[in-house]
Every structure is written in structure tokens, then in C-alpha cells.
Amino acid sequence: QYVMQRFLIPVLAVLCLLPFISPAFALVLGMATVWICGNPYLAVTKKLTKQLLAVSIIGLGAGMDLNVIAQTGLHGLYLTAFTIFGILAAGLLIGHCLRVNKQTSILIAIGTAICGGSAIAAAAPVLNAKDQNISVALGVVFILNAFALLIFPPLGHVLGLSQEQFGLWGALAIHDTSSVVGAAAHYGAGALETGTTVKLTRALWIIPLTFMLGLYVHARPIKSDDDEEDSGVKAAPKKPWFIFGFVIMAALVTYFPFLQSAGEVIHGLSKRVLILTLFLIGAGLTIDAIKTAGIKPLIQGGILWLLTLCGTFALIKLDLVGLP
């Protein structure tokens, strides 16, 4: 038992760097490991989590073209902003009514409004969020993502959506980019092209939104509801320095074509590092932490997702959302 506890988590962590391990599976694997065998490295994994999150976000910028995103982003800019901030406001209101942990509520709202796990990963260090709250928010997003991946393609056919309409709907209503691509690819080539472009544009909103969140948190730290009483010393919230790294990395591969090959490699490695980080986050989510979180975050995420799904579908059918 002792040997298994000492070696199992390092071995599984290395396995999470392999290409066949998905983000959802890595999170579940980490959770299952800590529930069955415990985590003797809990303090170390908690420290590594925040560092790896920031590094992976910077690396992901190497796979983005600023010119394409800027061109697409200008199309329907105001409506994009309206839907993002509308979803954020609704999510925070639902979380407040359900009395969900403040950090968890914000992360779920941001993940639903922009791009799921990536947005949560970007916002978490800015909030100085606890691993438990990050895990709960990611868990809610991954559950809803898996469900969306299954129901969206047949639902799109039943509702009579065109390729472009379905791609747009998926980009607006499905959390993670990977799930948008999966659902759109199943629906058709046109849906895949539209869905990928719109979701990529939407993901860029991580930058201004996280920066604004960082300024707000710096002025008014958002403590987790289960934090211990103030000891008189307040830890300074982390500033979103990694967002600037994200932009610089994207700019380098965009304006220096000879760096694009290296950028693709960095982008791919960063996605693996992010999956490794999700494993470590799951390995920090104990049974006690889940009991503390309760069912409320899932209810918040579910209600918000249904509102997003129905609201964006109505906007598309009423032709209020212009196709790129």
C-alpha cells in the first residue's frame, strides 16, 4: 500500500502526457486515484497546479493566429460581447441565489461564457482560487461537455439547423473548444469550419476578461467562502502576467512565419501539460472536498447551460447573430 501510494501518482502523471489521454479522463483519473489510494504529495501537487496552469496557457497562445481572430472578432463584436457578459451575469446571479461558493460560481460562469476549461484555467490563478473550487468548476464543465457532445448533433438535425447555424450554435453553447470541434465534425464540414472559427474568436475574450478580473481582484480580493478566519495577513492575488505571455506567444507565431512550426510543437505540448495539470487538480479533490461542495455547483452549471443553449438557439433562429 505504501509503495503504491508513493509511485502511483508520479507514474499516472507521466501517462497523462501521452496523446490518448483526454482532459476529462485525466481529471477523473486523478480523482479516482486520490479516492482509492490517497495522495501523499498533496502539498506538492497543489503548488505545481497553479504554476503549470499559467505555463500551459502561455503555450496555448502559440497555436493562435491574431490576424484571423481579429478579423473574425470584428464581425458581430457587439453581439459577442452581449452574449458573453449576459451569460456571466446570469451565472453569477444563479450562483448567488443557490449560495454556491463564490470562487466556484465565478469559475463556472466564466467557463460557460467563453471556452470551458481553458477559461477556468486562465481565471483560476487570477482569483487565487483553491484547488477544490477549480476541481468542482472543471468537473461541472466536463460533465456538461460530455453530454453536449452526445446530444447536439442529433438535436441539430431535429431542429433543422444548417451547417453554418449548427457550427455557430455549438461555438456559443458548448463549453470547450474540443467538444465544439467534435460535435461540429460529426455534423459536417461546414459546421466544423464555422464552429472552429467562432470558438477561436470567442476564446480570445479570455484576455480582456481575465485582465479586468485581475484588476478587480487586486482591489477587492475574492475569498473562498470556506477560507479560515482572517489571520491579519492577506495573500496578494496573482496578477494575470501569463495573459501577456499568451498574447506575445500568439504574436510571435503570427508575424514571424518561420516560428510557426515551433509554435505548433509548443501548442501541442502545452495541451498535454494542461491535461497533466487537470490530473493533478483531480488528485487534490478528496471525498471531503466533494461533500463540502455539494450538488449546488452542478445545478448552477446545468441551469446556466440550459439558458445559454436556448437563448443562443433563439438568437440564431431569429437571425440576430450574423454568420462569419
Side-chain angles (χ1 to χ4, degrees), residues 27 31 130-140 281-285:
L27 180 66
M31 293 165 58
K130 285 188 170 184
D131 288 346
Q132 171 188 333
N133 300 332
I134 300 171
S135 300
V136 171
L138 286 170
V140 169
I281 288 173
L285 185 60

Side-chain angles (χ1 to χ4, degrees), residues 27-36 38-39 42 45-46 49 104 130-140 278-294:
L27 180 66
V28 173
L29 183 62
M31 293 165 58
T33 303
V34 73
W35 296 348
I36 296 171
N39 183 0
L42 194 58
T45 54
K46 285 185 176 181
T49 295
T104 304
K130 285 188 170 184
D131 288 346
Q132 171 188 333
N133 300 332
I134 300 171
S135 300
V136 171
L138 286 170
V140 169
L278 296 178
F279 169 78
L280 296 178
I281 288 173
L285 185 60
T286 63
I287 295 291
D288 290 338
I290 291 178
K291 289 179 179 178
T292 301

Side-chain angles (χ1 to χ4, degrees), residues 58 135 169 204 246 288:
I58 292 174
S135 300
W169 189 40
L204 193 61
F246 175 91
D288 290 338

Side-chain angles (χ1 to χ4, degrees), residues 66-140:
L66 288 184
N67 289 328
V68 173
I69 294 172
Q71 183 180 359
T72 308
L74 290 174
H75 188 95
L77 177 65
Y78 297 112
L79 202 49
T80 300
F82 171 76
T83 56
I84 288 176
F85 286 102
I87 292 169
L88 275 173
L92 295 177
L93 178 60
I94 294 169
H96 177 74
C97 293
L98 292 173
R99 297 184 179 179
V100 176
N101 176 284
K102 291 177 183 177
Q103 289 185 351
T104 304
S105 178
I106 293 171
L107 292 175
I108 290 173
I110 289 175
T112 305
I114 304 179
C115 58
S118 298
I120 292 173
V126 178
L127 284 173
N128 228 356
K130 285 188 170 184
D131 288 346
Q132 171 188 333
N133 300 332
I134 300 171
S135 300
V136 171
L138 286 170
V140 169

Side-chain angles (χ1 to χ4, degrees), residues 149-161:
L149 199 55
L150 293 173
I151 70 165
F152 258 66
L155 192 57
H157 288 298
V158 170
L159 296 173
L161 295 178

Side-chain angles (χ1 to χ4, degrees), residues 207-295:
I207 299 170
L209 190 63
T210 309
F211 184 73
M212 288 187 289
L213 181 64
L215 294 177
Y216 179 80
V217 171
H218 189 65
R220 298 182 58 184
I222 301 173
K223 293 183 66 178
S224 179
D225 297 340
D226 54 1
D227 279 346
E228 296 179 0
E229 291 297 322
D230 192 351
S231 60
V233 180
K234 294 185 177 179
K238 292 180 174 60
K239 297 180 181 179
W241 57 268
F242 56 91
I243 293 297
F244 295 105
F246 175 91
V247 175
I248 291 171
M249 190 68 74
L252 286 174
V253 298
T254 300
Y255 300 116
F256 297 93
F258 65 91
L259 294 175
Q260 289 179 359
S261 296
E264 291 177 3
V265 174
I266 294 173
H267 180 74
L269 290 174
S270 298
K271 289 196 292 185
R272 302 320 306 173
V273 172
L274 183 57
I275 291 174
L276 167 61
T277 307
L278 296 178
F279 169 78
L280 296 178
I281 288 173
L285 185 60
T286 63
I287 295 291
D288 290 338
I290 291 178
K291 289 179 179 178
T292 301
I295 193 67

